[in-house]
Amino acid sequence: MRDQWTSKIGFLLAAIGSAVGLGNIWRFPYVAASNGGGAFLLPYFFAIITAGIPILILEYTMGKTYRGGAPVTWARINKKFEWLGWFQVMVAFVIGIYYFAIIVWVLSYVGFAFTQAWGDDPTTFFLEYLGVTDSALNLGGIRTNLILPFLIIWAVIAFIMYKGVSKGIERACKICLPILFVLILVLVIRGITLPGAVDGLDYMFRPDWSALKDPGVWVAAYGQIFYSLSIGFAIMLAYSSYLPKETDVVNSAFITATANHGFEIFAGIGVFSIMGFMAMQQGVEVADIAGSGIGLAFMTFPTAISTLPALNALFGICFFGALLTAGITSMVSILQAVVSGFHDKFDVEHKKAVTIVLVPTFVLSILFITGAGLNILDIVDAFINNIGVAAGGVIEVILITRFFNPEKLRKEANEFSNFSIGKWWTYSLRIVTTVVLGVMLFLNTKDFIYNGYGEYAAADVNVFGWGAILFVVIFADFITTLQGKEGYADLDKISQKEVA
């Protein structure tokens, strides 16, 4: 029997836990600050209404209606579409491999926070701790200092995954999300009471209305929405497949989006308040020290923590503890997207499907605790997010709006909803979302083709960048051609009757 969420709140916490990840804490504040500050919120909220929420409603409805993860859902819509489901699943698989490595680093830094072990030069400390080599192709051997946190995180993730959807993922999210909120609340309260905090908040929120004339700002807004909500790469399709048929998906989509984006802004207040204090202490502008991603988390923020006047260890633990809990809830959602694909097609029990996914994920993730781990992660992440996720999303929207009757899904979404969505939903997907994601995918691909990526050698980019995309495409095609269990086809017939 297919597992189900025990309650709507359980599903919402899991969905929010998936959406609220590392990017909410270390990516959104910088994206907003560097794209018009307060003015960025205008295209940001416009993107939520025209793309974020419509795609969430779409994926919640598809998963709930067709009762399966991405591959079986697409196959039940049209057998020819199954490949897209496996493409999205393989994108999630690759993300899971390297996302895990970041959580391992975060766990290490929770320990370092007790004594500020990173010292006076967190950047050098981080690079030496990882033993970073000069090339993604120069592995440099496994870092023995990462083995223990590596095994601890894998044990935690495996424990949650083997417990299943309701007893594992749902319970973990019910525990982690309140902890995450409390930790961020502590950081925000401390941050806004620091001298110089107002400078950090001014940098983040001061509106530069002229930025709205730049198409790149609007593309950045849509990109942030798209990646932040875990849409386009099988996660929400899988999660919603465990919903009871009577679930209000429209309301659920609005709640998920509101909670996720509210958290982004809230976390940004804490991060940039402390950045403002750090800038004041160093006598520089906030813009000179502001950053995002791994640099912010492991280099800039440790420096800020060390400059705090008191309770440095507490606030260091709060920051990295928040990253840890956010990372875990996102990681299990990524893996479940892959597990559901194998569980549905090959009709294997949950624990066997988990093993099928976790074993190769474990083996391949070892690559990221070598000396080349940081370089490989940087390249793979750029290509998988900017090409893989974007491609999966734009193809998804085109297939639904151009080769399938979206009105069927709109009626299905409205059937159990407290308020109905109108035809604006279809037009948003067909026109706005398709155009913006299509342009974003084109520009990203063109940039990688002509300019490579970062300062990396062409060989590094070809092997781990384009190689990651090729890996996804080949394995998606291979698994699609495999013969599934008879139940796969039988359920397909049942599903078509349900939505007829």
mmCIF file of all heavy atoms in Angstrom, residues 26-27 91 94-95 98-99 102 227 293-294 368 373-389 448 453 464-465 468-469:
data_model
loop_
_atom_site.group_PDB
_atom_site.id
_atom_site.type_symbol
_atom_site.label_atom_id
_atom_site.label_comp_id
_atom_site.label_asym_id
_atom_site.label_seq_id
_atom_site.Cartn_x
_atom_site.Cartn_y
_atom_site.Cartn_z
ATOM 1 N N TRP A 26 21.481 31.596 2.473
ATOM 2 C CA TRP A 26 22.725 32.167 1.955
ATOM 3 C C TRP A 26 22.625 32.697 0.529
ATOM 4 O O TRP A 26 23.571 33.296 0.027
ATOM 5 C CB TRP A 26 23.867 31.188 2.078
ATOM 6 C CG TRP A 26 23.899 30.022 1.108
ATOM 7 C CD1 TRP A 26 23.346 29.936 -0.125
ATOM 8 C CD2 TRP A 26 24.587 28.784 1.314
ATOM 9 N NE1 TRP A 26 23.640 28.725 -0.719
ATOM 10 C CE2 TRP A 26 24.401 28.001 0.154
ATOM 11 C CE3 TRP A 26 25.342 28.268 2.355
ATOM 12 C CZ2 TRP A 26 24.930 26.725 0.020
ATOM 13 C CZ3 TRP A 26 25.869 26.993 2.218
ATOM 14 C CH2 TRP A 26 25.661 26.234 1.073
ATOM 15 N N ARG A 27 21.491 32.543 -0.141
ATOM 16 C CA ARG A 27 21.398 33.028 -1.522
ATOM 17 C C ARG A 27 20.457 34.213 -1.679
ATOM 18 O O ARG A 27 20.820 35.226 -2.272
ATOM 19 C CB ARG A 27 20.937 31.899 -2.443
ATOM 20 C CG ARG A 27 20.995 32.278 -3.937
ATOM 21 C CD ARG A 27 20.648 31.093 -4.822
ATOM 22 N NE ARG A 27 20.914 31.377 -6.221
ATOM 23 C CZ ARG A 27 20.024 31.909 -7.064
ATOM 24 N NH1 ARG A 27 18.807 32.220 -6.617
ATOM 25 N NH2 ARG A 27 20.331 32.128 -8.317
ATOM 26 N N VAL A 91 18.089 14.627 -12.349
ATOM 27 C CA VAL A 91 18.573 15.938 -11.900
ATOM 28 C C VAL A 91 18.576 15.976 -10.375
ATOM 29 O O VAL A 91 19.549 16.405 -9.743
ATOM 30 C CB VAL A 91 17.693 17.074 -12.467
ATOM 31 C CG1 VAL A 91 17.957 18.381 -11.721
ATOM 32 C CG2 VAL A 91 17.956 17.273 -13.960
ATOM 33 N N VAL A 94 21.487 13.871 -8.957
ATOM 34 C CA VAL A 94 22.787 14.547 -8.990
ATOM 35 C C VAL A 94 22.853 15.629 -7.913
ATOM 36 O O VAL A 94 23.870 15.770 -7.219
ATOM 37 C CB VAL A 94 23.045 15.154 -10.382
ATOM 38 C CG1 VAL A 94 24.323 15.996 -10.373
ATOM 39 C CG2 VAL A 94 23.158 14.057 -11.438
ATOM 40 N N ILE A 95 21.781 16.384 -7.756
ATOM 41 C CA ILE A 95 21.751 17.411 -6.714
ATOM 42 C C ILE A 95 21.942 16.783 -5.341
ATOM 43 O O ILE A 95 22.681 17.297 -4.494
ATOM 44 C CB ILE A 95 20.433 18.209 -6.755
ATOM 45 C CG1 ILE A 95 20.368 19.050 -8.026
ATOM 46 C CG2 ILE A 95 20.297 19.106 -5.518
ATOM 47 C CD1 ILE A 95 19.054 19.776 -8.235
ATOM 48 N N TYR A 98 25.731 16.010 -4.374
ATOM 49 C CA TYR A 98 26.614 17.084 -3.903
ATOM 50 C C TYR A 98 26.003 17.902 -2.763
ATOM 51 O O TYR A 98 26.724 18.496 -1.965
ATOM 52 C CB TYR A 98 27.057 17.993 -5.054
ATOM 53 C CG TYR A 98 26.005 18.862 -5.689
ATOM 54 C CD1 TYR A 98 25.555 20.024 -5.070
ATOM 55 C CD2 TYR A 98 25.492 18.557 -6.955
ATOM 56 C CE1 TYR A 98 24.613 20.845 -5.679
ATOM 57 C CE2 TYR A 98 24.553 19.376 -7.568
ATOM 58 C CZ TYR A 98 24.119 20.509 -6.920
ATOM 59 O OH TYR A 98 23.187 21.315 -7.522
ATOM 60 N N TYR A 99 24.669 17.946 -2.686
ATOM 61 C CA TYR A 99 24.017 18.663 -1.587
ATOM 62 C C TYR A 99 24.416 18.036 -0.258
ATOM 63 O O TYR A 99 24.608 18.720 0.743
ATOM 64 C CB TYR A 99 22.501 18.581 -1.774
ATOM 65 C CG TYR A 99 21.699 19.634 -1.037
ATOM 66 C CD1 TYR A 99 21.403 20.852 -1.635
ATOM 67 C CD2 TYR A 99 21.210 19.400 0.240
ATOM 68 C CE1 TYR A 99 20.653 21.816 -0.981
ATOM 69 C CE2 TYR A 99 20.457 20.356 0.908
ATOM 70 C CZ TYR A 99 20.179 21.557 0.290
ATOM 71 O OH TYR A 99 19.438 22.504 0.950
ATOM 72 N N ILE A 102 27.663 19.385 1.234
ATOM 73 C CA ILE A 102 27.550 20.670 1.926
ATOM 74 C C ILE A 102 27.072 20.457 3.358
ATOM 75 O O ILE A 102 27.551 21.110 4.295
ATOM 76 C CB ILE A 102 26.585 21.611 1.174
ATOM 77 C CG1 ILE A 102 27.077 21.847 -0.256
ATOM 78 C CG2 ILE A 102 26.460 22.945 1.918
ATOM 79 C CD1 ILE A 102 26.115 22.651 -1.112
ATOM 80 N N TYR A 227 14.193 28.092 -8.184
ATOM 81 C CA TYR A 227 15.081 27.208 -7.452
ATOM 82 C C TYR A 227 14.670 27.082 -5.985
ATOM 83 O O TYR A 227 14.839 26.031 -5.368
ATOM 84 C CB TYR A 227 16.529 27.710 -7.552
ATOM 85 C CG TYR A 227 17.003 27.880 -8.976
ATOM 86 C CD1 TYR A 227 17.719 29.000 -9.383
ATOM 87 C CD2 TYR A 227 16.709 26.915 -9.940
ATOM 88 C CE1 TYR A 227 18.136 29.163 -10.693
ATOM 89 C CE2 TYR A 227 17.119 27.080 -11.251
ATOM 90 C CZ TYR A 227 17.836 28.190 -11.628
ATOM 91 O OH TYR A 227 18.243 28.348 -12.930
ATOM 92 N N GLY A 293 26.130 32.117 -1.078
ATOM 93 C CA GLY A 293 26.556 30.747 -1.265
ATOM 94 C C GLY A 293 27.591 30.285 -0.264
ATOM 95 O O GLY A 293 27.629 30.713 0.889
ATOM 96 N N ILE A 294 28.456 29.413 -0.734
ATOM 97 C CA ILE A 294 29.464 28.795 0.129
ATOM 98 C C ILE A 294 30.407 29.835 0.720
ATOM 99 O O ILE A 294 30.803 29.727 1.881
ATOM 100 C CB ILE A 294 30.250 27.739 -0.677
ATOM 101 C CG1 ILE A 294 29.327 26.541 -0.969
ATOM 102 C CG2 ILE A 294 31.492 27.287 0.078
ATOM 103 C CD1 ILE A 294 29.914 25.516 -1.895
ATOM 104 N N PHE A 368 32.997 14.011 -3.294
ATOM 105 C CA PHE A 368 32.943 15.376 -2.788
ATOM 106 C C PHE A 368 33.626 15.560 -1.434
ATOM 107 O O PHE A 368 33.615 16.659 -0.877
ATOM 108 C CB PHE A 368 31.491 15.844 -2.718
ATOM 109 C CG PHE A 368 30.863 15.981 -4.078
ATOM 110 C CD1 PHE A 368 30.177 14.923 -4.658
ATOM 111 C CD2 PHE A 368 31.005 17.145 -4.802
ATOM 112 C CE1 PHE A 368 29.622 15.030 -5.914
ATOM 113 C CE2 PHE A 368 30.461 17.269 -6.063
ATOM 114 C CZ PHE A 368 29.768 16.206 -6.633
ATOM 115 N N GLY A 373 36.676 18.184 -4.091
ATOM 116 C CA GLY A 373 35.240 18.246 -3.822
ATOM 117 C C GLY A 373 34.607 19.606 -4.036
ATOM 118 O O GLY A 373 33.555 19.724 -4.681
ATOM 119 N N LEU A 374 35.226 20.657 -3.502
ATOM 120 C CA LEU A 374 34.660 22.001 -3.626
ATOM 121 C C LEU A 374 34.605 22.447 -5.077
ATOM 122 O O LEU A 374 33.601 23.025 -5.526
ATOM 123 C CB LEU A 374 35.485 22.991 -2.801
ATOM 124 C CG LEU A 374 35.034 24.459 -2.856
ATOM 125 C CD1 LEU A 374 33.617 24.614 -2.329
ATOM 126 C CD2 LEU A 374 36.004 25.342 -2.066
ATOM 127 N N ASN A 375 35.655 22.193 -5.829
ATOM 128 C CA ASN A 375 35.692 22.585 -7.242
ATOM 129 C C ASN A 375 34.645 21.830 -8.053
ATOM 130 O O ASN A 375 33.947 22.414 -8.888
ATOM 131 C CB ASN A 375 37.082 22.330 -7.829
ATOM 132 C CG ASN A 375 38.141 23.227 -7.214
ATOM 133 O OD1 ASN A 375 37.878 24.366 -6.866
ATOM 134 N ND2 ASN A 375 39.353 22.697 -7.053
ATOM 135 N N ILE A 376 34.551 20.521 -7.815
ATOM 136 C CA ILE A 376 33.575 19.700 -8.545
ATOM 137 C C ILE A 376 32.167 20.170 -8.221
ATOM 138 O O ILE A 376 31.310 20.319 -9.103
ATOM 139 C CB ILE A 376 33.743 18.210 -8.196
ATOM 140 C CG1 ILE A 376 35.123 17.711 -8.630
ATOM 141 C CG2 ILE A 376 32.648 17.376 -8.863
ATOM 142 C CD1 ILE A 376 35.437 16.292 -8.167
ATOM 143 N N LEU A 377 31.920 20.408 -6.936
ATOM 144 C CA LEU A 377 30.592 20.849 -6.505
ATOM 145 C C LEU A 377 30.205 22.162 -7.171
ATOM 146 O O LEU A 377 29.069 22.316 -7.661
ATOM 147 C CB LEU A 377 30.574 20.999 -4.983
ATOM 148 C CG LEU A 377 29.239 21.325 -4.308
ATOM 149 C CD1 LEU A 377 29.219 20.764 -2.894
ATOM 150 C CD2 LEU A 377 28.962 22.822 -4.267
ATOM 151 N N ASP A 378 31.112 23.079 -7.225
ATOM 152 C CA ASP A 378 30.842 24.394 -7.818
ATOM 153 C C ASP A 378 30.431 24.258 -9.276
ATOM 154 O O ASP A 378 29.456 24.867 -9.728
ATOM 155 C CB ASP A 378 32.091 25.262 -7.689
ATOM 156 C CG ASP A 378 31.836 26.707 -8.085
ATOM 157 O OD1 ASP A 378 30.670 27.145 -8.029
ATOM 158 O OD2 ASP A 378 32.796 27.404 -8.457
ATOM 159 N N ILE A 379 31.146 23.435 -10.016
ATOM 160 C CA ILE A 379 30.864 23.266 -11.442
ATOM 161 C C ILE A 379 29.551 22.518 -11.667
ATOM 162 O O ILE A 379 28.690 22.950 -12.439
ATOM 163 C CB ILE A 379 32.014 22.512 -12.140
ATOM 164 C CG1 ILE A 379 33.309 23.328 -12.053
ATOM 165 C CG2 ILE A 379 31.664 22.238 -13.606
ATOM 166 C CD1 ILE A 379 34.545 22.575 -12.519
ATOM 167 N N VAL A 380 29.396 21.389 -10.993
ATOM 168 C CA VAL A 380 28.188 20.569 -11.174
ATOM 169 C C VAL A 380 26.943 21.352 -10.779
ATOM 170 O O VAL A 380 25.922 21.332 -11.476
ATOM 171 C CB VAL A 380 28.283 19.263 -10.358
ATOM 172 C CG1 VAL A 380 26.965 18.497 -10.440
ATOM 173 C CG2 VAL A 380 29.423 18.397 -10.873
ATOM 174 N N ASP A 381 27.011 22.060 -9.660
ATOM 175 C CA ASP A 381 25.866 22.830 -9.186
ATOM 176 C C ASP A 381 25.448 23.887 -10.206
ATOM 177 O O ASP A 381 24.259 24.079 -10.479
ATOM 178 C CB ASP A 381 26.218 23.502 -7.857
ATOM 179 C CG ASP A 381 25.094 24.382 -7.343
ATOM 180 O OD1 ASP A 381 24.009 23.856 -7.062
ATOM 181 O OD2 ASP A 381 25.302 25.609 -7.214
ATOM 182 N N ALA A 382 26.415 24.573 -10.787
ATOM 183 C CA ALA A 382 26.110 25.623 -11.763
ATOM 184 C C ALA A 382 25.390 25.051 -12.977
ATOM 185 O O ALA A 382 24.385 25.606 -13.442
ATOM 186 C CB ALA A 382 27.399 26.327 -12.197
ATOM 187 N N PHE A 383 25.876 23.935 -13.505
ATOM 188 C CA PHE A 383 25.281 23.355 -14.709
ATOM 189 C C PHE A 383 23.942 22.679 -14.427
ATOM 190 O O PHE A 383 22.994 22.839 -15.205
ATOM 191 C CB PHE A 383 26.257 22.353 -15.344
ATOM 192 C CG PHE A 383 27.272 22.999 -16.236
ATOM 193 C CD1 PHE A 383 28.356 23.690 -15.710
ATOM 194 C CD2 PHE A 383 27.149 22.929 -17.614
ATOM 195 C CE1 PHE A 383 29.291 24.310 -16.530
ATOM 196 C CE2 PHE A 383 28.082 23.531 -18.457
ATOM 197 C CZ PHE A 383 29.156 24.226 -17.912
ATOM 198 N N ILE A 384 23.860 21.943 -13.336
ATOM 199 C CA ILE A 384 22.618 21.227 -13.032
ATOM 200 C C ILE A 384 21.486 22.205 -12.722
ATOM 201 O O ILE A 384 20.343 22.013 -13.154
ATOM 202 C CB ILE A 384 22.823 20.255 -11.852
ATOM 203 C CG1 ILE A 384 23.602 19.035 -12.323
ATOM 204 C CG2 ILE A 384 21.490 19.816 -11.256
ATOM 205 C CD1 ILE A 384 22.873 18.172 -13.347
ATOM 206 N N ASN A 385 21.780 23.277 -11.985
ATOM 207 C CA ASN A 385 20.737 24.247 -11.657
ATOM 208 C C ASN A 385 20.368 25.123 -12.843
ATOM 209 O O ASN A 385 19.183 25.310 -13.141
ATOM 210 C CB ASN A 385 21.186 25.127 -10.480
ATOM 211 C CG ASN A 385 20.807 24.532 -9.147
ATOM 212 O OD1 ASN A 385 19.629 24.405 -8.829
ATOM 213 N ND2 ASN A 385 21.799 24.157 -8.359
ATOM 214 N N ASN A 386 21.363 25.658 -13.521
ATOM 215 C CA ASN A 386 21.092 26.621 -14.578
ATOM 216 C C ASN A 386 20.654 25.993 -15.896
ATOM 217 O O ASN A 386 20.014 26.662 -16.721
ATOM 218 C CB ASN A 386 22.323 27.499 -14.813
ATOM 219 C CG ASN A 386 22.587 28.427 -13.646
ATOM 220 O OD1 ASN A 386 21.766 29.263 -13.298
ATOM 221 N ND2 ASN A 386 23.737 28.274 -13.009
ATOM 222 N N ILE A 387 20.993 24.728 -16.109
ATOM 223 C CA ILE A 387 20.558 24.046 -17.329
ATOM 224 C C ILE A 387 19.590 22.907 -17.000
ATOM 225 O O ILE A 387 18.485 22.850 -17.535
ATOM 226 C CB ILE A 387 21.763 23.499 -18.120
ATOM 227 C CG1 ILE A 387 22.637 24.657 -18.621
ATOM 228 C CG2 ILE A 387 21.277 22.660 -19.305
ATOM 229 C CD1 ILE A 387 23.845 24.212 -19.425
ATOM 230 N N GLY A 388 19.984 22.010 -16.093
ATOM 231 C CA GLY A 388 19.160 20.839 -15.790
ATOM 232 C C GLY A 388 17.807 21.179 -15.203
ATOM 233 O O GLY A 388 16.760 20.767 -15.735
ATOM 234 N N VAL A 389 17.787 21.937 -14.099
ATOM 235 C CA VAL A 389 16.521 22.294 -13.453
ATOM 236 C C VAL A 389 15.678 23.178 -14.363
ATOM 237 O O VAL A 389 14.471 22.980 -14.519
ATOM 238 C CB VAL A 389 16.781 23.012 -12.109
ATOM 239 C CG1 VAL A 389 15.473 23.506 -11.500
ATOM 240 C CG2 VAL A 389 17.479 22.070 -11.132
ATOM 241 N N PHE A 448 27.517 29.434 -20.922
ATOM 242 C CA PHE A 448 28.419 28.311 -20.642
ATOM 243 C C PHE A 448 29.163 27.864 -21.897
ATOM 244 O O PHE A 448 30.338 27.504 -21.847
ATOM 245 C CB PHE A 448 27.642 27.124 -20.064
ATOM 246 C CG PHE A 448 27.204 27.316 -18.638
ATOM 247 C CD1 PHE A 448 25.979 26.839 -18.207
ATOM 248 C CD2 PHE A 448 28.015 27.972 -17.723
ATOM 249 C CE1 PHE A 448 25.571 27.007 -16.894
ATOM 250 C CE2 PHE A 448 27.620 28.140 -16.412
ATOM 251 C CZ PHE A 448 26.388 27.664 -15.993
ATOM 252 N N TYR A 453 32.965 28.327 -17.477
ATOM 253 C CA TYR A 453 32.430 28.661 -16.162
ATOM 254 C C TYR A 453 33.554 29.060 -15.222
ATOM 255 O O TYR A 453 34.519 28.298 -15.020
ATOM 256 C CB TYR A 453 31.650 27.487 -15.567
ATOM 257 C CG TYR A 453 31.162 27.763 -14.165
ATOM 258 C CD1 TYR A 453 30.214 28.756 -13.922
ATOM 259 C CD2 TYR A 453 31.677 27.057 -13.075
ATOM 260 C CE1 TYR A 453 29.787 29.031 -12.637
ATOM 261 C CE2 TYR A 453 31.244 27.325 -11.786
ATOM 262 C CZ TYR A 453 30.296 28.325 -11.573
ATOM 263 O OH TYR A 453 29.881 28.603 -10.291
ATOM 264 N N PHE A 464 32.901 17.774 -15.661
ATOM 265 C CA PHE A 464 31.946 17.833 -14.554
ATOM 266 C C PHE A 464 30.730 18.719 -14.822
ATOM 267 O O PHE A 464 29.709 18.566 -14.151
ATOM 268 C CB PHE A 464 32.663 18.304 -13.284
ATOM 269 C CG PHE A 464 33.680 17.327 -12.796
ATOM 270 C CD1 PHE A 464 35.042 17.583 -12.942
ATOM 271 C CD2 PHE A 464 33.294 16.134 -12.204
ATOM 272 C CE1 PHE A 464 35.987 16.671 -12.491
ATOM 273 C CE2 PHE A 464 34.236 15.217 -11.757
ATOM 274 C CZ PHE A 464 35.583 15.481 -11.901
ATOM 275 N N GLY A 465 30.820 19.625 -15.780
ATOM 276 C CA GLY A 465 29.681 20.467 -16.124
ATOM 277 C C GLY A 465 28.821 19.821 -17.186
ATOM 278 O O GLY A 465 27.730 19.317 -16.921
ATOM 279 N N ALA A 468 27.907 16.239 -16.381
ATOM 280 C CA ALA A 468 26.761 16.028 -15.491
ATOM 281 C C ALA A 468 25.452 16.059 -16.279
ATOM 282 O O ALA A 468 24.553 15.240 -16.044
ATOM 283 C CB ALA A 468 26.746 17.090 -14.400
ATOM 284 N N ILE A 469 25.338 17.003 -17.217
ATOM 285 C CA ILE A 469 24.131 17.088 -18.041
ATOM 286 C C ILE A 469 23.984 15.839 -18.915
ATOM 287 O O ILE A 469 22.887 15.268 -19.048
ATOM 288 C CB ILE A 469 24.166 18.350 -18.928
ATOM 289 C CG1 ILE A 469 24.231 19.615 -18.063
ATOM 290 C CG2 ILE A 469 22.953 18.391 -19.848
ATOM 291 C CD1 ILE A 469 23.047 19.806 -17.140
#
